[in-house]
Amino acid sequence: MKIVQSLNQNAVIVNDNGKEVILTGKGIGFDKKIGDEIDKNKISKIYLFEYTSQQKMIIDSIKEIPEDILLITEDLLDKVEDLLKSDFAPFTTITFASHLYQAIERSKQIKKVNHSIQYEFKHIFPKEYNASVFAINYLRTKYNINVDDLEITFFIMHFLNGLQKLDDLENMLDLGEIIGDILNILVRYLPKDFDDNNIFFSRFIVHLRYFLMRKLNNISSKTSDVTELFDYILDKFSKANEIVNEFLKMLLQKHGMTVEKSEQLYLILHVQRLLDEIQN
């Protein structure tokens, strides 16, 4: 395999049987020029690519990433893949490395940023959240790289995107904000020492996630006549209904969402289960 372009001393583009691929590895491009053969023993990752505009931008970004950051990212994401028991899509390493470099630069600035959706994402994507916490601790302990905890949200986004679970970034950010607004209402009715790892709280978050994703994607819930049951539930669980009514007002006023009776019913039942849990 002969070098077509040297990106830096740890990343090169080569011609492999008529196809151009990116190779990374410690020192793989050191003192190399176009036409030189590469040392196959130094290859750590191979990235197949076509000259799409997006991939062209990714390739260009490699030149801006410090060479050690790319190798650190490869090591880190190998560990995260083991943790998640899934493989990331091609080029995740490069896009993550670019973000990591920027995160390190941001951490050098004395600046506090409030990412309110981080708390919500802990419950919406628990596996990816735990992987992000692991990643930050791993960078600190093994490489002495200090990355702010506020980067957890962005790490989650990269992991979801790499696992191809993130179809619409804007919707996911909206989802985090809306769930945050709902939880801000709910916590006023919960004791300060309430365990947010409670299984019924987690189920409530999961229900919110799927319900809100349907709303954000304009998918209507299946309707059914729940009038008699609805009236009964409202009368029996008046406190839960009061809380859900606050949700509904906020969703309409702030996010322009209306909620069908059948969905209101589910929300009331979830909230009532949380209230019962407090009393037990």
Side-chain angles (χ1 to χ4, degrees):
M1 290 187 281
K2 292 185 178 181
I3 293 179
V4 174
Q5 182 181 356
S6 180
L7 301 174
N8 59 45
Q9 70 174 12
N10 295 326
V12 295
I13 299 177
V14 302
N15 188 305
D16 181 23
N17 295 322
K19 291 184 178 180
E20 291 188 357
V21 298
I22 297 174
L23 304 179
T24 60
K26 189 172 180 60
I28 198 169
F30 179 71
D31 202 26
K32 295 287 186 182
K33 58 184 183 296
I34 294 174
D36 286 351
E37 289 281 345
I38 56 94
D39 182 352
K40 293 182 179 180
N41 293 322
K42 290 185 176 180
I43 299 173
S44 60
K45 291 281 185 180
I46 301 174
Y47 301 93
L48 303 174
F49 74 98
E50 299 173 355
Y51 282 100
T52 64
S53 58
Q54 184 180 18
Q55 290 184 352
K56 175 75 164 54
M57 289 173 59
I58 291 173
I59 292 166
D60 289 341
S61 73
I62 294 178
K63 302 173 187 177
E64 308 298 324
I65 303 169
E67 295 155 10
D68 58 329
I69 297 297
L70 191 58
L71 299 183
I72 288 170
T73 300
E74 287 182 355
D75 173 41
L76 172 65
L77 294 191
D78 282 343
K79 301 291 189 301
V80 174
E81 283 181 330
D82 290 341
L83 196 63
L84 295 175
K85 295 181 172 54
S86 293
D87 294 331
F88 291 123
F91 288 97
T92 300
T93 300
I94 298 170
T95 55
F96 188 90
S98 178
H99 176 85
L100 178 58
Y101 171 55
Q102 295 168 24
I104 293 169
E105 292 301 303
R106 280 195 296 272
S107 70
K108 295 175 184 176
Q109 303 171 14
I110 303 173
K111 186 171 156 184
K112 291 194 176 179
V113 183
N114 180 24
H115 287 289
S116 61
I117 62 173
Q118 182 169 304
Y119 175 76
E120 289 74 56
F121 275 26
K122 174 182 177 181
H123 298 283
I124 300 170
F125 305 110
K127 288 197 301 184
E128 290 77 11
Y129 174 87
N130 290 334
S132 298
V133 172
F134 164 82
I136 285 178
N137 289 332
Y138 187 76
L139 290 169
R140 288 172 179 167
T141 55
K142 182 166 183 178
Y143 294 105
N144 198 29
I145 293 176
N146 187 31
V147 179
D148 198 292
D149 286 338
L150 292 171
E151 295 295 335
I152 287 175
T153 299
F154 297 106
F155 281 23
I156 291 171
M157 292 293 188
H158 278 284
F159 295 161
L160 288 169
N161 193 50
L163 297 169
Q164 299 177 322
K165 293 181 180 178
L166 192 56
D167 298 324
D168 189 332
L169 175 59
E170 186 176 351
N171 268 2
M172 284 299 173
L173 292 173
D174 288 344
L175 176 67
E177 180 186 356
I178 297 169
I179 289 181
D181 289 339
I182 289 174
L183 293 185
N184 284 337
I185 294 171
L186 180 63
V187 294
R188 298 205 303 264
Y189 296 90
L190 300 177
K192 290 184 178 179
D193 60 350
F194 183 79
D195 182 8
D196 61 11
N197 291 315
N198 178 286
I199 186 170
F200 297 107
F201 186 82
S202 298
R203 287 176 181 172
F204 176 61
I205 297 291
V206 170
H207 178 79
L208 283 179
R209 176 187 175 187
Y210 287 108
F211 151 60
L212 290 170
M213 284 306 297
R214 287 196 298 271
K215 300 298 289 185
L216 289 169
N217 288 300
N218 296 313
I219 300 172
S220 299
S221 302
K222 292 181 180 178
T223 57
S224 56
D225 187 4
V226 294
T227 303
E228 288 187 27
L229 180 60
F230 188 78
D231 291 340
Y232 171 78
I233 293 296
L234 260 59
D235 182 60
K236 184 172 178 61
F237 303 132
S238 57
K239 190 65 177 180
N241 179 48
E242 176 189 338
I243 296 171
V244 170
N245 273 333
E246 288 197 50
F247 297 167
L248 302 181
K249 289 176 185 176
M250 179 275 298
L251 288 172
L252 181 60
Q253 292 172 2
K254 187 172 181 180
H255 302 285
M257 284 186 183
T258 57
V259 181
E260 301 90 343
K261 277 191 173 183
S262 56
E263 286 292 354
Q264 292 178 36
L265 189 65
Y266 284 119
L267 289 171
I268 291 169
L269 292 173
H270 274 290
V271 170
Q272 183 59 43
R273 190 63 190 87
L274 285 172
L275 294 177
D276 289 343
E277 188 71 5
I278 294 169
Q279 294 170 0
N280 290 339

